[in-house]
Amino acid sequence: MTRRDLLAAGAASTLLALKPAAAQEPAGKALLGGSPTCFSVRARAARDNHQEFDIIEHCHQLGLAGAESILMAPTPEAVKSIRQKVDNYNMTVILNTRLPKTESDVSQFDTAVAACKEAGAVALHAAMTARRYEQFDTLEAFQANFAQCQKTITLAEPVLSKHRMRLAIENHKGWRAAEQAAWLKRVSSEWVGVCLDMGNNISLCEMPDETFDALTPFAIFSHLKDMGVEEYSDGFLLAEVPFGHGVIDLKERVAQLRRKDPKMLFCLEMITRDPLQIPVFTDRYWVTFSGPQGEIPGRDVAKILELVRKNPPKTPLPRPDSLPIANRIKAEDEYNLACIRYAQQNLDM
């Protein structure tokens, strides 16, 4: 059986198995959606077979209330396709589009934001960095990148204000929460906020409560995830795990964000991949953490190492990367199903 056959034959049965009993969310429940990365294995397999993976359609078939997607090109056909799904399925949709890096990009961004709004997006999402401790070889390179990110938002904000469209900048392992919060305070715009990822900042030696306390005031929507941790020779491992198997107090974090906005969308982000290595015992990790504003206090490192040592995995951390594609798709579907059920039963979604 080819991978094309596998995808075609397995999609229907998998979706039937994953679909929750009630597709419509009762009034008062939190909104659960899906992010692109929680379906990355299935989406990658579709691309390899020259097929399209439609995340909005997929999330609807799973009974989810929303989705984070991307507007590849602001064409009338693309806008109409997304808008029809948003209206027909009564879904909340967040869209990604390219941000302006220079003044010459602003006009194109204006067109894209208008198209996203017409497509029914309630907000935009941006992950502006990679993993800080892997991306940069020098402090100067990190600082130059941060300066470019700030310039990008300076260019984007007037367009966002014009179209009354909010932009949620993810805490994507690029900045500690205090750095990001200080920046957003300087921006001081109701149209620029945060996609609050529940686990990313652990990689920057930051306890989840510290991340939430700093970034919740700016939160527009959230990437909902639980994180498993485990020691290894150069530091610790960090992995998305099925809800209830990690170190995130999901019930408290969801409640905290809902107090800020009862209508907030929580996008499932159970990424099916091998654990990430957080090499805190290596010199390379610390290259960008220097200077009076960039240093990580020793007590923060101690807290994270204590968190790791006191919370060994309840089950082995997922290691699916070496599995055949069929097994990875199956694992991804099963992990997502487990998270959806947990959210329904324990998080009032």
Side-chain angles (χ1 to χ4, degrees):
M1 178 179 285
T2 67
R3 282 189 293 178
R4 181 186 297 272
D5 294 333
L6 172 67
L7 288 169
S13 60
T14 300
L15 291 174
L16 286 174
L18 281 171
K19 190 171 184 178
Q24 298 300 318
E25 297 294 338
K29 287 186 176 290
L31 298 178
L32 179 62
S35 66
T37 41
C38 74
F39 308 116
S40 57
V41 178
R42 182 171 284 279
R44 190 180 308 118
R47 289 195 301 270
D48 289 345
N49 284 276
H50 307 290
Q51 297 174 339
E52 179 184 359
F53 176 78
D54 187 329
I55 188 173
I56 298 176
E57 188 70 40
H58 193 73
C59 287
H60 169 66
Q61 291 174 340
L62 295 179
L64 299 178
E68 178 195 330
S69 186
I70 184 170
L71 184 64
M72 297 299 296
T75 64
E77 295 78 15
V79 169
K80 182 179 179 181
S81 176
I82 294 175
R83 186 57 181 255
Q84 285 180 336
K85 295 184 181 76
V86 170
D87 291 344
N88 292 341
Y89 301 153
N90 191 28
M91 292 177 71
T92 299
V93 171
I94 310 285
L95 291 176
N96 287 260
T97 193
R98 182 174 297 178
L99 300 179
K101 290 187 176 182
T102 67
E103 288 79 1
S104 63
D105 298 328
V106 172
S107 176
Q108 185 177 9
F109 180 65
D110 189 299
T111 299
V113 174
C116 288
K117 186 167 187 175
E118 177 61 27
V122 300
L124 305 179
H125 166 267
M128 300 183 72
T129 70
R131 300 166 197 147
R132 174 174 178 169
Y133 46 90
E134 295 175 352
Q135 185 177 5
F136 303 109
D137 294 320
T138 65
L139 174 62
E140 291 73 21
F142 165 74
Q143 292 172 330
N145 178 266
F146 194 12
Q148 175 59 60
C149 290
Q150 292 175 80
K151 178 181 178 181
T152 288
I153 297 307
T154 298
L155 294 170
E157 196 280 336
V159 177
L160 298 168
S161 177
K162 170 186 171 182
H163 293 286
R164 302 182 65 81
M165 176 64 73
R166 295 180 299 169
L167 172 66
I169 304 170
E170 184 175 346
N171 51 309
H172 198 245
K173 301 184 178 75
W175 316 291
R176 301 193 89 215
E179 292 173 308
Q180 188 169 0
W183 170 28
L184 292 175
K185 287 177 183 177
R186 293 194 298 271
V187 173
S188 187
S189 172
E190 64 180 302
W191 307 110
V192 181
V194 170
C195 165
L196 208 169
D197 185 287
M198 295 197 175
N200 279 348
N201 281 36
I202 294 174
S203 70
L204 305 179
C205 295
E206 190 169 285
M207 295 290 284
D209 58 340
E210 296 170 336
T211 304
F212 271 75
D213 289 347
L215 296 182
T216 292
F218 306 97
I220 293 172
F221 81 109
S222 176
H223 278 172
L224 181 63
K225 61 173 61 171
D226 203 351
M227 305 302 295
V229 291
E230 185 177 13
E231 292 184 84
Y232 89 111
S233 59
D234 284 338
F236 64 93
L237 303 176
L238 184 66
E240 286 81 5
V241 294
F243 292 174
H245 288 256
V247 299
I248 306 297
D249 185 346
L250 292 172
K251 186 171 291 188
E252 172 56 30
R253 298 310 165 202
V254 169
Q256 185 174 353
L257 288 172
R258 293 200 76 195
R259 287 193 293 270
K260 196 268 182 183
D261 179 4
K263 297 182 180 180
M264 184 174 293
L265 179 66
F266 294 84
C267 282
L268 169 66
E269 195 180 34
M270 171 63 236
I271 309 176
T272 301
R273 61 183 175 189
D274 284 6
L276 300 178
Q277 296 182 353
I278 316 300
V280 295
F281 299 148
T282 67
D283 291 339
R284 170 65 187 269
Y285 178 87
W286 296 100
V287 164
T288 66
F289 297 111
S290 60
Q293 296 180 339
E295 290 183 350
I296 298 179
R299 64 179 179 274
D300 289 3
V301 182
K303 286 179 183 178
I304 287 296
L305 293 178
E306 181 182 29
L307 179 76
V308 172
R309 289 165 182 166
K310 288 187 174 180
N311 293 276
K314 297 177 181 179
T315 57
L317 297 181
R319 286 177 169 82
D321 290 359
S322 62
L323 297 177
I325 183 63
N327 299 78
R328 278 185 282 153
I329 292 174
K330 183 174 184 291
E332 181 178 78
D333 289 344
E334 289 176 348
Y335 290 146
N336 286 334
L337 173 59
C339 291
I340 292 170
R341 287 177 175 165
Y342 184 98
Q344 290 176 321
Q345 295 169 5
N346 298 279
L347 303 178
D348 196 26
M349 292 184 169

